Amino acid sequence: MPNTSDSPLADYTGLRDVELRKSLEAEHGLFIAEGEKVIRRAVAAGYPVRSVLLTRRWTDSLADLLDGLGDRVHVVDDDAMEAIAGFPVHRGALAAMERRELPAVTEILNGATTFGAACGDALGAASRAASGAVPEDLSGGAGRGPRRVLVLEDLVDHGNVGAIFRCAAALGVGAVVLSPRCADPLYRRSVKVSMGAVFAIPYARMTNWYDGLAELRTAGFQTLALTPDQSVTPMDGVAMAGRVALLLGSEGDGLSSRWLHEADEPVCIPMSPAAMGLGVDSLNVVAAAAIACHALMRETAVPAPARRP
């Protein structure tokens, strides 16, 4: 592997080494965007480009973006790209981007930021129009604040976080709030799995998990805690006329007992009784998030089906 520690290519070293990347990216305030589409979405969302590393066959398609970057553009062959990054880069282009300071949770909830607006409409409009489930005003806007928010508690898998951002952005959720221990949405795998949706939706990270839901209550949010418990109210049976925050828990254990207790109401996604009889009693967190986001983006309750005694 080339020695890149003192070179302009240092930003791209060891992209598969999670611990190395966490320390390097935190120290230098950067993240990596992979592939033309994701790079363009990062640029559209206002993230400054530190440099671009790409193979020659991608220079023409990215020519407009590369213009003016000068010696910050590094063109290499496939073997050199793999040696630097630590894996075959099938999308052929990587960009080191400057991070921006995250807004506070209260800023996100009050609509005091336009973070992500440049590419949010492009990502979400088609899905919203196709489903018919998302009135345009539910996601709020600058100065108004979002009316639908996802709150992620301790999701540590970067791919899951990226996929949930993609669900939230595509279905029109207005913002995402992360607990302090959640995975970084700008880690390379999160960005890649989200297809750039992490740039399209405002997000903030709590500084205090224990009292983290207090900020949501102060901002007037009804808090719904998603649980696999089939004895609680189905999501489609909950009236959601005001501001609503949906709480999603970690991949294995789900929501903490504290957040389940603190939430206004626990809700579930109804499961097939036949499937439950076979031991299939829950969904993975990404599938649950997609279904829950769709149910979240409405104004009125749907009568819940009668339960069997």
Side-chain angles (χ1 to χ4, degrees):
M1 176 176 171
N3 180 4
T4 59
S5 58
D6 297 316
S7 83
L9 302 181
D11 287 351
Y12 304 98
T13 301
L15 293 181
R16 275 194 168 169
D17 187 328
V18 177
E19 295 307 315
L20 169 65
R21 296 307 304 183
K22 283 180 180 177
S23 59
L24 189 154
E25 293 181 14
E27 179 183 355
H28 296 287
L30 67 96
F31 70 92
I32 299 296
E34 180 180 348
E36 179 184 359
K37 183 179 292 185
V38 171
I39 292 170
R40 288 189 181 280
R41 285 177 173 171
V43 171
Y47 289 96
V49 180
R50 289 166 62 99
S51 66
V52 179
L53 176 67
L54 74 166
T55 55
R56 186 161 302 280
R57 69 178 178 271
W58 289 95
T59 55
D60 288 343
S61 61
L62 284 166
D64 60 312
L65 187 147
L66 302 176
D67 186 37
L69 292 180
D71 61 4
R72 289 181 286 163
V73 178
H74 309 286
V75 181
V76 297
D77 62 28
D78 290 337
D79 290 341
M81 176 79 86
E82 181 174 351
I84 294 165
F87 67 97
V89 183
H90 298 298
R91 288 179 170 84
L94 300 168
M97 315 291 296
E98 298 279 358
R99 288 178 181 250
R100 302 185 309 194
E101 184 176 356
L102 276 182
V105 172
T106 52
E107 291 181 277
I108 289 291
L109 299 181
N110 293 329
T113 176
T114 56
F115 178 86
C119 59
D121 288 344
L123 274 172
S127 294
R128 292 195 294 269
S131 69
V134 188
E136 283 297 320
D137 64 350
L138 290 188
S139 60
R144 291 187 294 156
R147 298 188 65 201
R148 298 291 187 266
V149 170
L150 281 190
V151 186
L152 308 185
E153 184 189 30
D154 295 356
L155 273 75
V156 297
D157 184 279
H158 293 95
N160 285 347
V161 168
I164 290 171
F165 265 78
R166 187 173 183 181
C167 294
L171 291 168
V173 173
V176 177
V177 176
L178 309 172
S179 74
R181 294 190 297 187
C182 264
D184 177 14
L186 293 186
Y187 183 73
R188 182 184 63 86
R189 179 160 173 76
S190 297
V191 175
K192 179 180 178 180
V193 170
S194 80
M195 288 301 294
V198 293
F199 312 132
I201 185 168
Y203 72 92
R205 189 179 293 275
M206 294 176 175
T207 57
N208 176 7
W209 163 83
Y210 190 80
D211 294 319
L213 300 187
E215 289 177 299
L216 291 158
R217 288 194 295 271
T218 300
F221 279 87
Q222 173 190 7
T223 52
L224 303 179
L226 190 65
T227 170
D229 182 355
Q230 296 293 290
S231 68
V232 303
T233 305
M235 275 206 69
D236 285 347
V238 180
M240 294 186 288
R243 307 185 86 189
V244 185
L246 179 68
L247 316 181
L248 295 175
S250 64
E251 291 88 345
D253 298 330
L255 287 167
S256 64
S257 58
R258 176 170 179 79
W259 275 25
L260 277 169
H261 177 73
E262 291 261 316
D264 294 316
E265 186 171 3
V267 295
C268 71
I269 296 169
M271 300 289 294
S272 160
M276 293 189 67
L278 296 172
V280 182
D281 60 355
S282 64
L283 296 160
N284 70 48
V285 69
V286 175
I291 295 169
C293 283
H294 187 275
L296 186 67
M297 302 307 296
R298 58 177 173 77
E299 284 281 358
T300 58
V302 176
R307 292 187 174 273
R308 294 181 179 179

